[in-house]
Amino acid sequence: MVRALLQIVLNGVAVLVAAYLVPGISYHGSLLSLLLVGLVIGLINLIVKPIVTFFAFPLIVVTLGLFYLVINGLMLYLAAWLLPHTLQVHGCGAAILGGLVMALVNWLVRAFTKES
């Protein structure tokens, strides 16, 4: 339970970092809205992303894993579509860069924290 809540907060922080760094991504809302964005991204990554990754596996192999960045961008774009007044992504390039930034933030946090 604590790990799930931590992942929701981490997704929200990653969205804030992506909105700050990537010009085509904007976030408007309060702290509660940020937690909602984190929850939606977590649910998308839990339910939709494995299905898309399964069907896109041949493209992932052919592109040596680079298509996975496109999948991350599509998941961010889906979250923005589900929350149009809170999170906005303008363009495919911004979505891919935002997905890359979010993946890097998640990777950095996991690299410097110890799992129990």
Side-chain angles (χ1 to χ4, degrees):
M1 179 72 175
V2 174
R3 186 168 187 255
L5 292 175
L6 184 65
Q7 188 64 41
I8 290 170
V9 171
L10 181 61
N11 284 336
V13 169
V15 166
L16 275 181
V17 171
Y20 180 74
L21 293 177
V22 179
I25 298 176
S26 60
Y27 167 77
H28 307 285
S30 63
L31 182 62
L32 186 61
S33 298
L34 187 64
L35 292 176
L36 179 65
V37 170
L39 177 67
V40 168
I41 289 176
L43 288 174
I44 288 172
N45 286 339
L46 183 69
I47 298 168
V48 178
K49 192 174 182 179
I51 297 168
V52 173
T53 303
F54 176 76
F55 287 113
F57 185 72
L59 285 173
I60 294 170
V61 170
V62 168
T63 62
L64 302 175
L66 290 177
F67 193 73
Y68 203 69
L69 295 174
V70 175
I71 293 173
N72 283 342
L74 288 173
M75 297 305 113
L76 181 61
Y77 204 73
L78 178 62
W81 181 74
L82 291 172
L83 302 166
H85 300 292
T86 306
L87 179 64
Q88 297 173 347
V89 178
H90 303 285
C92 186
I96 292 173
L97 282 176
L100 177 64
V101 168
M102 290 181 61
L104 287 174
V105 168
N106 280 316
W107 178 75
L108 281 173
V109 169
R110 288 188 179 139
F112 292 111
T113 57
K114 183 172 46 170
E115 281 198 36
S116 56

